[in-house]
Amino acid sequence: MPLLIVDDSESSLLALETAVRGFAGCEVESFTNPLEALARCREVDFDVVLVDYLMPEMNGIEMIRRLRRQPGYEDVPVVMITSQAKRAVRLEALEAGATDFLAKPFDPLELQARVLNLMALHRAQLALADRAKSLDMAFRHATEQADMREQEIIWCLAQAMASRDGNTGDHIERVANIAELIAEGLGLDRIQRRNIYLAAPLHDIGKIAIPDAILQKPGKLDRHEIERMREHVPIGVAILANSSAELSRVATAIIAGHHEKWDGSGYPKGLSGDAIPIEARIVAVADVFEALCSDRPYKQAWPIERAYEEIIACSGSHFDPACVAAFRRKWPAIRALFEHGADEDHSMAVSNG
């Protein structure tokens, strides 16, 4: 293990080197100039540093202070060698980052014992750090695998629902992407954006209990059919009711609120303004826009620019103005989603209800 000694006295340096060179596996480097020693520390990771207190260019306390600021030397054991017995000097050295002290003139056996103990301590610290790093990597890998499985399950459920509604998975994927872009435009953090992206595909999961005759009806729904269609909201909420996971909470908020309107004219509760969860307000914009741009049994897809104008026109009535403003800021990226898939089948739209 590499060991560094810094002392401006050639005789002291020789005595220190002689005392420690007998250690098995110990590689000693010594300097009389603390600036040169600091420069060497940027090249080599020393396991223990011995530094004299009184030196001409800078004292040992200042060297320790600078050493602690160098990457990799935050926890390396540092022994201050000094003839000073003053309490103030020792306190200042401890505040600068000294690990231990050795009095001059030193006892070679005491020096060897202290250095050996500090080396063992540092080895243990490094081993713990490596173990913590390995555990962290294993945890991250397990989390990534769990996230992938979670996303696959969500996508499978959402695509199953989309196929019942007579569509491919394009709609749910675009709704998720648009919702994430709007969330980004609103300044939501990475975890919030990810949860919205993953939960958005479940917004219509309650339609799994709605009859095909209503879901795929080519004409306008009558009053009874509209009421039946609207039941997909409480059904979807009930599906996730027993889950305490954060993603389920976000999905439930989206399911429950994506048909509410900013002005209070939506359903099922007639919520308005900020009483509607932000996740639902975001997905409402994404869902309606994608629906307008998609073919449905009862309508043809709107041109993308016309759909864009409709979203802007409904700011403050159907939609949260802040969400619409974020939608406008992210418009180039949102439009690119549709231009990229212009030759693909556009899918699943907003419900007839």
Side-chain angles (χ1 to χ4, degrees):
M1 298 180 74
L3 183 147
L4 175 67
I5 303 174
V6 187
D7 194 315
D8 66 311
S9 168
E10 294 283 359
S11 58
S12 293
L13 205 58
L14 179 60
L16 289 167
E17 289 177 352
T18 302
V20 299
R21 280 196 185 278
F23 296 172
C26 183
E27 301 173 2
V28 181
E29 290 194 38
S30 57
F31 292 86
T32 56
N33 186 314
L35 291 174
E36 293 177 1
L38 287 170
R40 183 58 174 161
C41 287
R42 288 192 286 270
E43 301 171 349
V44 178
D45 295 328
F46 291 100
D47 291 302
V48 177
V49 177
L50 307 180
V51 56
D52 187 27
Y53 170 56
L54 291 175
M55 294 184 289
E57 294 196 37
M58 72 172 68
N59 65 29
I61 293 175
E62 179 58 25
M63 179 182 168
I64 293 173
R65 192 174 286 117
R66 294 193 188 187
L67 184 65
R68 289 303 188 203
R69 290 198 292 264
Q70 292 191 188
Y73 280 91
E74 298 86 351
D75 301 310
V76 171
V78 179
V79 179
M80 169 76 75
I81 305 171
T82 177
S83 58
Q84 288 281 347
K86 293 182 180 178
R87 183 171 177 269
V89 172
R90 290 181 174 253
L91 287 176
E92 186 181 3
L94 288 171
E95 290 174 357
T99 309
D100 200 357
F101 296 93
L102 188 68
K104 280 187 175 182
F106 64 87
D107 181 336
L109 293 178
E110 181 185 0
L111 172 62
Q112 291 176 6
R114 287 176 186 255
V115 171
L116 284 172
N117 287 338
L118 289 172
M119 282 185 169
L121 175 63
H122 192 48
R123 287 193 197 102
Q125 289 175 330
L126 293 175
L128 284 173
D130 287 343
R131 178 60 176 163
K133 186 177 180 180
S134 297
L135 289 173
D136 182 63
M137 290 178 63
F139 175 77
R140 288 175 182 272
H141 178 71
T143 301
E144 289 173 1
Q145 292 298 310
D147 287 347
M148 289 176 60
R149 287 193 293 270
E150 183 179 51
Q151 184 170 343
E152 288 172 358
I153 291 170
I154 290 171
W155 238 255
C156 287
L157 287 171
Q159 287 179 338
M161 185 58 251
S163 64
R164 279 207 65 237
D165 211 3
N167 298 282
T168 67
D170 292 345
H171 169 70
I172 57 172
E173 184 172 357
R174 281 196 290 262
V175 168
N177 284 322
I178 295 168
E180 185 180 28
L181 286 167
I182 294 172
E184 184 179 24
L186 287 169
L188 273 61
D189 64 40
R190 182 185 62 81
I191 294 176
Q192 290 175 300
R193 298 197 305 268
R194 176 189 174 277
N195 283 338
I196 289 171
Y197 172 80
L198 290 176
L202 298 177
H203 65 282
D204 277 338
I205 193 67
K207 286 184 178 179
I208 197 168
I210 306 301
D212 290 344
I214 295 177
L215 287 177
Q216 300 177 20
K217 183 176 179 178
K220 188 175 181 179
L221 300 183
D222 61 32
R223 183 177 60 82
H224 172 74
E225 291 169 332
I226 290 174
E227 291 177 357
R228 185 74 175 88
M229 176 69 84
R230 289 184 175 184
E231 291 177 6
H232 81 275
V233 173
I235 291 170
V237 170
I239 290 173
L240 299 178
N242 295 324
S243 175
S244 59
E246 175 62 13
L247 184 58
S248 295
R249 184 201 68 77
V250 174
T252 300
I254 290 171
I255 294 167
H258 75 286
H259 284 297
E260 302 287 0
K261 296 183 180 180
W262 184 254
D263 62 7
S265 63
Y267 71 90
K269 294 184 178 180
L271 300 178
S272 63
D274 292 337
I276 307 168
I278 183 60
E279 300 93 342
R281 284 179 264 152
I282 289 170
V283 173
V285 176
D287 183 36
V288 171
F289 177 75
E290 208 290 331
L292 293 173
C293 296
S294 301
D295 287 324
R296 296 294 290 158
Y298 54 87
K299 76 167 188 67
Q300 291 184 333
W302 287 21
I304 189 171
E305 296 297 336
R306 181 186 171 195
Y308 170 82
E309 292 170 1
E310 179 67 14
I311 296 296
I312 304 306
C314 292
S315 176
S317 55
H318 190 154
F319 305 120
D320 176 358
C323 291
V324 174
F327 174 85
R328 295 183 70 171
R329 286 192 292 272
K330 292 296 182 177
W331 176 239
I334 292 170
R335 180 171 53 193
L337 293 174
F338 290 83
E339 292 174 347
H340 178 69
D343 297 329
E344 301 175 0
D345 292 331
H346 285 198
S347 57
M348 200 170 169
V350 72
S351 75
N352 241 322

